[in-house]
Amino acid sequence: MPVDLDKAMLDLAGRLALLGFGRVEPNPMVGCVIARGDRVLGVGAHREFGGAHAERRALESARSQGHDVRGATAYVTLEPCAHTGKQPPCTDALLEAGIGEVVYAAADPNPQASGGAAVLQAGGVRTRLCGASVLATAVSAPFRQRVVEGRPWVIAKWAQTLDGRIATRAGDSRWISGEGSRRRVHALRGRVDAILTGMGTVMADDPALTVRRGKPRKRPVRVVLDADLEIPLDRQLVRTACETPTIVCCEANVATARIRADRRAAMEAMGVRVLGCPAGPGGLDLRATLGILYRDAGVSGVLVEGGAGLLGSMFEAGVVDTAVAYIAPLLLGDELARAVAVGRVAPALSAGVRLGLARVRRVGQDVELTYCRPPVAADSGVQNAS
């Protein structure tokens, strides 16, 4: 099969998969296209947690249009599942429909659901793992990471001037970006499970970290990294914790120390959940803390909205999976204005953190740049099985 056709069909499947962003987690975003040659017969996406899977939706789409799918090719962003969960196995539906070939962009690492390709092959269906579409491979990366690494997908977001500053020397940052960019940030907030910040931002800005525009798909929990449990009780995040779920992550010994018992009790009485986490260099072990948020708080996706110190620490720990930067048409030219990230030691360019540019979008007078860390090598390339 020509690689350009594979790419076109898998790109379409990837775009379909994104329809589930913010609705299907912790399940994967999955899209499926049923085609005969370059003719699309049916399309489908996993649209909500517990709902029908993409393959079954695509088959139903084809049938509803009167198409015969026997011998056709199914292009899927993730290897079809071979187990019964909230939905029956997709392999059964594909075999019963008489699909002739399945092309998938990434293997399923979930031991409970993997093995779909082998099941299909045993039933006489050709299968191919194909890396022709970067998008199709990328849409299931958050799910695959959660399974393999046991931590949520982390999106770091910031607005900056043309000369790379996120605030003036006095800390003024409202508003660097334009109205359109801020609307997009609120839309992103409404698709993640948690919005995470640090004590620097809490003390400087007293943020609310809520979704105040549009129609959010989720109601994210607010998370504060506060190693010593020093957040004042008059901060918005504490005062409104009974209205909007709030978690404060502190060092494990602080979470149980008698000297902090009264503060913990006061915070919990106001609705704050205190989570003890392992200590790390200069504060919390960020990778371990994210793992605890995933296991103990059900957090699948995190949006980081913090200052230069937190962003620098997140990049240093290697836990930023996607970075979204809003570049405003503004230049400060002040060497004391605040940089995007600080705290790392980078004596050479080789010590910098390199990301791959995934998307460029104009938003009013701003430019939205989306970067991702390099894809997992095992998911690139093309493999065949028959």
Side-chain angles (χ1 to χ4, degrees), residues 42-64:
V43 297
H46 182 34
R47 300 295 295 267
E48 59 185 0
F49 180 74
H53 289 184
E55 295 91 329
R56 291 181 178 272
R57 285 185 177 273
L59 290 170
E60 179 57 33
S61 168
R63 293 188 186 107
S64 69

Side-chain angles (χ1 to χ4, degrees), residues 60-80:
E60 179 57 33
S61 168
R63 293 188 186 107
S64 69
Q65 299 174 72
H67 296 310
D68 181 2
V69 301
R70 287 175 294 180
T73 300
Y75 294 89
V76 196
T77 56
L78 186 66
E79 178 185 11

Side-chain angles (χ1 to χ4, degrees), residues 152 188-197 207-211 216-225 237 240-249 271-275 290 292-294 296-305:
L188 183 56
R189 283 183 177 183
R191 294 188 177 194
V192 297
D193 295 307
I195 303 170
L196 183 148
T197 195
L209 299 184
T210 54
V211 185
R217 298 183 177 185
K218 291 187 176 183
R219 186 187 185 196
V221 61
R222 290 95 56 94
V223 178
V224 181
L225 301 184
L237 295 173
T240 62
C242 285
E243 303 164 14
T244 304
T246 303
I247 296 174
V248 173
C249 297
V272 175
R273 180 180 178 185
V274 177
L275 276 182
L290 289 166
I292 289 172
L293 287 171
Y294 174 58
D296 295 355
V299 172
S300 296
V302 173
L303 177 62
V304 177
E305 297 199 33

Side-chain angles (χ1 to χ4, degrees), residues 261-296:
D262 289 345
R263 172 171 284 274
R264 286 196 310 273
M267 292 172 64
E268 290 169 352
M270 297 176 76
V272 175
R273 180 180 178 185
V274 177
L275 276 182
C277 302
L284 297 174
D285 181 322
L286 294 177
R287 189 173 292 272
T289 297
L290 289 166
I292 289 172
L293 287 171
Y294 174 58
R295 294 190 304 273
D296 295 355

Side-chain angles (χ1 to χ4, degrees), residues 103-347:
V103 180
Y104 58 101
D108 191 339
N110 186 349
Q112 295 181 330
S114 61
V119 171
L120 291 168
Q121 291 168 33
V125 178
R126 298 183 303 278
T127 66
R128 288 190 290 128
L129 172 60
C130 177
S133 168
V134 173
L135 174 61
T137 300
V139 290
S140 64
F143 167 76
R144 289 181 283 120
Q145 174 178 279
R146 291 192 291 270
V147 173
V148 175
E149 297 187 27
R151 70 170 179 87
W153 191 261
V154 175
I155 304 170
K157 181 279 302 178
W158 66 88
Q160 67 173 67
T161 63
L162 287 172
D163 51 339
R165 304 295 176 167
I166 61 174
T168 66
R169 63 170 64 195
D172 181 18
S173 62
R174 296 185 179 180
W175 297 102
I176 288 177
S177 59
E179 176 66 22
S181 295
R182 297 197 291 276
R183 281 198 301 269
R184 287 184 61 79
V185 169
H186 278 273
L188 183 56
R189 283 183 177 183
R191 294 188 177 194
V192 297
D193 295 307
I195 303 170
L196 183 148
T197 195
M199 279 296 290
T201 298
V202 169
M203 299 307 297
D205 300 335
D206 192 19
L209 299 184
T210 54
V211 185
R212 298 184 295 279
R213 304 183 188 191
K215 297 180 179 179
R217 298 183 177 185
K218 291 187 176 183
R219 186 187 185 196
V221 61
R222 290 95 56 94
V223 178
V224 181
L225 301 184
D226 178 14
D228 298 320
L229 205 60
E230 294 178 332
I231 184 170
L233 299 182
D234 64 354
R235 299 287 93 175
Q236 279 198 81
L237 295 173
V238 178
R239 288 189 288 104
T240 62
C242 285
E243 303 164 14
T244 304
T246 303
I247 296 174
V248 173
C249 297
C250 64
E251 290 187 9
N253 62 339
V254 174
T256 57
R258 292 182 60 186
I259 196 172
R260 290 294 195 200
D262 289 345
R263 172 171 284 274
R264 286 196 310 273
M267 292 172 64
E268 290 169 352
M270 297 176 76
V272 175
R273 180 180 178 185
V274 177
L275 276 182
C277 302
L284 297 174
D285 181 322
L286 294 177
R287 189 173 292 272
T289 297
L290 289 166
I292 289 172
L293 287 171
Y294 174 58
R295 294 190 304 273
D296 295 355
V299 172
S300 296
V302 173
L303 177 62
V304 177
E305 297 199 33
L310 177 58
L311 287 172
S313 297
M314 299 293 285
F315 278 110
E316 179 69 10
V319 294
V320 175
D321 304 300
T322 299
V324 182
Y326 291 92
I327 315 299
L330 170 68
L331 186 143
L332 293 178
D334 184 348
E335 64 181 7
L336 295 183
R338 301 182 183 181
V340 170
V342 298
R344 301 187 70 251
V345 177

